[in-house]
C-alpha cells in the first residue's frame, strides 16, 4: 500500500474525500488499523486515560508520548502518523514546544504533531512549522483545559463562544497548520469553520460536516473496562464482552484440565 503523506491528507479535502482517523497507542493495534486501511493514525494523549488509567490527560509526560509514538510508528505501514504534545510540553515557552515537537519526530517517529488551543498558541504553531514539522491544531473542547472549562463541556454554544472558535480556527490555519481537530462543539459552528478553511477539519463530537472524523480506538471497539461512553461515540464492536467471555473459558479450561491439550503440548 502507498505511504500516505501530509499532502495526501490535505488533498483529500480538495477532492471532497472524507478523512477517517483513529487513535492508536501500541504496535499491534497500529498494525491492525493500518492493514484495515486507516489513512491517519493519531497517538493521542488520551493514552493517559485509556491506557494508563489517569482521570485526565494532564499527567501524561513527554517520555510516555515518545514511548507510545515509537510503538505505533513500528506498527504503522502506510498511515500518516500524528502525535500529541502533552500538557506542559508546549505551554511554558516556544523553545520547549520546538524541542518537544522535535522529540516526537526524532525519537518517536511521528510525521506531525498536534497541540491544543486557538489564537493563543498561533505563535507556537508558527515556530514548529518553521522547522518543517507539520502541525495539527485542536480547538473546542480541549481536554488539557479541563480545569478552565470546569469539566468536559461542549464549547461555542453562545454567539460569542462560536465567534471566538471561528477566530481560533482561522488563527491556527494562518499560523501554518495542515489540519485542525474540532472537538465538542455544535454542528453548525463546525460546519461554518469547515466551509471557511482551506485545511481539513477533523471532528469529534462536532457533527457530520467536518472533513474527517476521529474516534478514540478503545471507545470505537468497546474496549473500556468501565465508564460512560460519550454521546458522540459510535461503538463498532464489543471487545470488552469478547475478552470477558474468552477469559472465562480459559479459566474453566485450566481449572478443569482441558488446557493444555495434546495439540498444545511438545
Ligand atoms: O488525545 C486524543 O485522543 C485526541 C483525539 C480524541 C482528538 O486528542
Amino acid at each position: 500500500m502507498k505511504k500516505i503523506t501530509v499532502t495526501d491528507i490535505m488533498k483529500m479535502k480538495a477532492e471532497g474525500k472524507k478523512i477517517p482517523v483513529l487513535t492508536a497507542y501500541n504496535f499491534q493495534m497500529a498494525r491492525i488499523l493500518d492493514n484495515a486501511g486507516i489513512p491517519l493514525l493519531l497517538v493521542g494523549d488520551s493514552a493517559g486515560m485509556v491506557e494508563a488509567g489517569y482521570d485526565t490527560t494532564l499527567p501524561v509526560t513527554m517520555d510516555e508520548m515518545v514511548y507510545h509514538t515509537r510503538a505505533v510508528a513500528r506498527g504503522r505501514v502506510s498511515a500518516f502518523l500524528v502525535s500529541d504534545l502533552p500538557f506542559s510540553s508546549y505551554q511554558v515557552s516556544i523553545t520547549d514546544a520546538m524541542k518537544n515537537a522535535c522529540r516526537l519526530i526524532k525519537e518517536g517517529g511521528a510525521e506531525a504533531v498536534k497541540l491544543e488551543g486557538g489564537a493563543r498558541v498561533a505563535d507556537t504553531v508558527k515556530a514548529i512549522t518553521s522547522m518543517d514539522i507539520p502541525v495539527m491544531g485542536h480547538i473546542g473542547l480541549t481536554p488539557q483545559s479541563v480545569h478552565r472549562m470546569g469539566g468536559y463541556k461542549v464549547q461555542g454554544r453562545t454567539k460569542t463562544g462560536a465567534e471566538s472558535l471561528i477566530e481560533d480556527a482561522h488563527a491556527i490555519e494562518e499560523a501554518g497548520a495542515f489540519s485542525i481537530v474540532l472537538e465538542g462543539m455544535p454542528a453548525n459552528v463546525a460546519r461554518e469553520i469547515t466551509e471557511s478553511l482551506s485545511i481539513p477539519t477533523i471532528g469529534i463530537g462536532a457533527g457530520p460536516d467536518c472533513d474527517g472524523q476521529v474516534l478514540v480506538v478503545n471507545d470505537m471497539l468497546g474496549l473500556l473496562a468501565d465508564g460512560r461512553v460519550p454521546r458522540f461515540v459510535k461503538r463498532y464492536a464489543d471487545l470488552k464482552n469478547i475478552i470477558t467471555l474468552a477469559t472465562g473459558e480459559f479459566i474453566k479450561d485450566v481449572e478443569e484440565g482441558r488446557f493444555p491439550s495434546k495439540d498444545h503440548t511438545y
Side-chain angles (χ1 to χ4, degrees), residues 195-228:
E195 285 171 356
S196 65
L197 294 187
S198 55
I199 58 171
T201 61
I202 309 294
I204 175 161
D209 299 313
C210 299
D211 299 304
Q213 296 290 332
V214 57
L215 284 178
V216 168
V217 71
N218 299 58
D219 291 342
M220 189 285 267
L221 294 176
L223 188 53
L224 293 174
D226 46 39
R228 214 169 53 85

Side-chain angles (χ1 to χ4, degrees), residues 90-258:
Y90 61 94
Q91 288 92 342
V92 178
S93 75
I94 289 186
T95 309
D96 275 1
M98 293 169 86
K99 281 191 186 149
N100 286 320
C102 287
R103 280 195 71 192
L104 291 178
I105 305 293
K106 196 181 178 88
E107 297 174 44
E111 294 160 293
V113 301
K114 175 166 84 56
L115 55 84
E116 297 181 7
R120 72 189 160 83
V121 295
D123 285 344
T124 309
V125 172
K126 227 180 260 173
I128 298 173
T129 55
S130 78
M131 298 186 298
D132 290 339
I133 297 177
V135 174
M136 178 181 262
H138 184 165
I139 62 167
L141 191 173
T142 44
Q144 292 176 17
S145 318
V146 60
H147 297 315
R148 173 184 52 79
M149 295 183 299
Y152 297 105
K153 292 180 181 158
V154 172
Q155 303 293 297
R157 283 197 194 272
T158 62
K159 191 165 176 286
T160 42
E163 281 166 0
S164 96
L165 286 182
I166 294 164
E167 278 167 25
D168 280 342
H170 284 271
I172 294 300
E173 175 171 71
E174 277 155 31
F178 77 94
S179 171
I180 184 165
V181 169
L182 307 181
E183 177 164 358
M185 66 179 71
N188 64 314
V189 179
R191 186 186 331 116
E192 186 170 341
I193 293 173
T194 301
E195 285 171 356
S196 65
L197 294 187
S198 55
I199 58 171
T201 61
I202 309 294
I204 175 161
D209 299 313
C210 299
D211 299 304
Q213 296 290 332
V214 57
L215 284 178
V216 168
V217 71
N218 299 58
D219 291 342
M220 189 285 267
L221 294 176
L223 188 53
L224 293 174
D226 46 39
R228 214 169 53 85
V229 186
R231 170 167 159 200
F232 61 78
V233 170
K234 179 170 175 185
R235 209 175 65 181
Y236 289 81
D238 187 359
L239 293 196
K240 177 185 167 184
N241 194 38
I242 291 173
I243 292 169
T244 305
L245 292 175
T247 305
E249 275 184 47
F250 171 70
I251 292 169
K252 259 171 86 192
D253 275 0
V254 171
E255 285 174 349
E256 293 169 17
R258 279 189 300 273

Side-chain angles (χ1 to χ4, degrees), residues 31-136:
R31 181 60 57 89
I32 292 168
L33 301 178
D34 191 302
N35 285 342
I38 200 82
L40 197 159
L41 284 172
L42 169 66
V43 186
D45 60 355
S46 50
M49 296 175 80
V50 299
E51 295 285 307
Y54 299 136
D55 285 341
T56 69
T57 58
L58 300 180
V60 176
T61 65
M62 269 305 298
D63 285 347
E64 287 168 339
M65 287 308 298
V66 167
Y67 169 83
H68 286 294
T69 305
R70 262 193 191 148
V72 171
R74 284 192 292 266
R76 172 276 321 262
V77 179
S78 52
F80 186 63
L81 180 55
V82 182
S83 180
D84 258 346
L85 281 164
F87 176 68
S88 84
S89 70
Y90 61 94
Q91 288 92 342
V92 178
S93 75
I94 289 186
T95 309
D96 275 1
M98 293 169 86
K99 281 191 186 149
N100 286 320
C102 287
R103 280 195 71 192
L104 291 178
I105 305 293
K106 196 181 178 88
E107 297 174 44
E111 294 160 293
V113 301
K114 175 166 84 56
L115 55 84
E116 297 181 7
R120 72 189 160 83
V121 295
D123 285 344
T124 309
V125 172
K126 227 180 260 173
I128 298 173
T129 55
S130 78
M131 298 186 298
D132 290 339
I133 297 177
V135 174
M136 178 181 262

